[in-house]
Structure formats: C-alpha cells, structure tokens
Amino acid sequence: MAETERWLVVGLGNPGPKYAGNRHNIGFMVVEALAERRRDRWKAHKVHAEVAESRVAGTPAVLAKPRSYMNLSGGPVTGLSRFYKVPMERIVVVHDDMDIAFGAVKLKRGGGSGGHNGLRSITASLSGPDYLRVRVGVGRPPGRMDPAAYVLKDFSSAERKDLPLEVERAADAVEALIGEGLERAQNVFHTAS
C-alpha cells in the first residue's frame, strides 16, 4: 500500500467535559484509545476538529474528533477529507448505535443514518453514505425514555466497569477494518458479538 493512501478515522461525540462520559461520545473514546496506543498527540485543526496523525494497522491515518456538536459533524469530516485528500472509501466513522447491544461492535459500508444526526450530517456533507462505519453498541433506552436523552446520559455504573474493554475492542475493530478489509473484520467482530 502506498504511503499516500492515508485513512481518516473520525470518532463522533460532543465537545467539552459535560459530555465526556455520554453514550453519544463513545466514538471520541475509541479514537482516543487508538491515539493512546501510539502515544499520538492531539492538535487543533482549522476545520473545527482535533486531529492526531498516526498509523493504524501500519497504515498512515488521521484520527479526528470534530469540535462541532454531533449534529454538525459533516462540515469537519468533509473539511478533513479534502485537506488530507482522503476519498470516501477510506473514511471510517466510529459512532454509538442504539440498535446494537452494549458490548457489541458491527462494521459496514454505507447505509442510512438510523436516526443518528451525526451520520445524517456527514452523509449530507459528503454527498453520499458510502463511508465505512464502526458501530459501537450502547443498547436501547429503558422504558419510554426519549432516545435523544438516553444517548446524552453517561454510561451506567455497571456499563462503566466494562467500558474500557469495549472501547479497546472497538479500537481493535478499526485496526482490523483498515488492516484486513471490511469482510474479514466483519467475520471476526460480528461472530464475536
């Protein structure tokens, strides 16, 4: 693989300490774990994001955390894609997914937003849905709780015990996706869930 074939790995979340432990911020947690593996440093980027230039599975990659709010993630993602000249097929978006149980990780290319406003913003901004997704399960809200309120709540104390392991597992899924391709990564992570 040529050195110029850089990937863009974007973790979705909301900026600021108020949101740091929210279910909606698991994408941030995963890209932070990837950066920590190589002790990469985060820096501010002009497109309203924090970035860490890294290597994932031995391949050049830019890890990113948009500093816009979740619903406006598309602008920073498109800006980074253009700045680093990364085509849609090498963009990976890591995000929370209520349709997957806590602890499960699923990978796919393309598809709808499933009601996720961050994905909706990215798809609109990129003019298409064909980027890769690492979907990290956060489970369904209990009872009649509003889904929007649920994703803005912190993980439960029981979930927090397992959260570091789940974040590392999702980071492993990103590495497998980039290093081995979508189908092989799906075979590993979908059967393990």
Side-chain angles (χ1 to χ4, degrees):
M1 184 175 279
E3 184 72 14
T4 57
E5 290 187 349
R6 183 185 280 129
W7 288 71
L8 174 61
V9 181
V10 181
L12 296 188
N14 284 309
K18 172 182 172 185
Y19 300 102
N22 289 182
R23 289 178 176 88
H24 228 12
N25 275 39
I26 195 137
F28 276 10
M29 296 173 200
V30 173
V31 294
E32 287 165 356
L34 284 164
E36 183 63 31
R37 290 178 177 186
R38 293 181 35 90
R39 292 185 171 75
D40 297 319
R41 292 191 183 277
W42 292 96
K43 62 184 180 187
H45 193 281
K46 65 182 179 182
V47 300
H48 211 55
E50 284 183 51
V51 297
E53 294 191 22
S54 189
R55 292 183 85 76
V56 175
T59 302
V62 175
L63 307 176
K65 298 184 291 183
R67 301 316 287 166
S68 59
Y69 284 91
M70 177 72 78
N71 299 356
L72 302 172
S73 299
V77 172
T78 301
L80 290 168
S81 161
R82 288 180 182 145
F83 182 86
Y84 289 104
K85 299 177 175 57
V86 178
M88 193 176 317
E89 61 268 18
R90 289 200 306 273
I91 297 174
V92 179
V93 175
V94 184
H95 66 90
D96 59 300
D97 195 315
M98 288 189 299
D99 291 329
I100 303 173
F102 176 78
V105 176
K106 303 279 183 190
L107 302 97
K108 73 176 190 174
R109 179 183 296 282
S113 67
H116 195 293
N117 289 329
L119 295 178
R120 185 176 293 124
S121 173
I122 292 167
T123 297
S125 190
L126 289 174
S127 301
D130 293 332
Y131 49 91
L132 292 155
R133 297 125 189 253
V134 175
R135 304 160 62 208
V136 186
V138 295
R140 299 294 307 165
R144 295 175 182 250
M145 180 185 277
D146 176 25
Y150 176 72
V151 294
L152 292 175
K153 287 198 165 303
D154 285 359
F155 287 96
S156 70
S157 55
E159 288 169 333
R160 277 196 301 271
K161 288 187 184 110
D162 294 327
L163 188 58
L165 182 64
E166 301 311 332
V167 166
E168 289 298 330
R169 204 162 158 273
D172 290 345
V174 173
E175 295 221 4
L177 176 60
I178 291 174
E180 300 172 39
L182 178 59
E183 193 173 329
R184 289 183 70 179
Q186 285 174 325
N187 289 341
V188 170
F189 286 89
H190 292 195
T191 53
S193 298

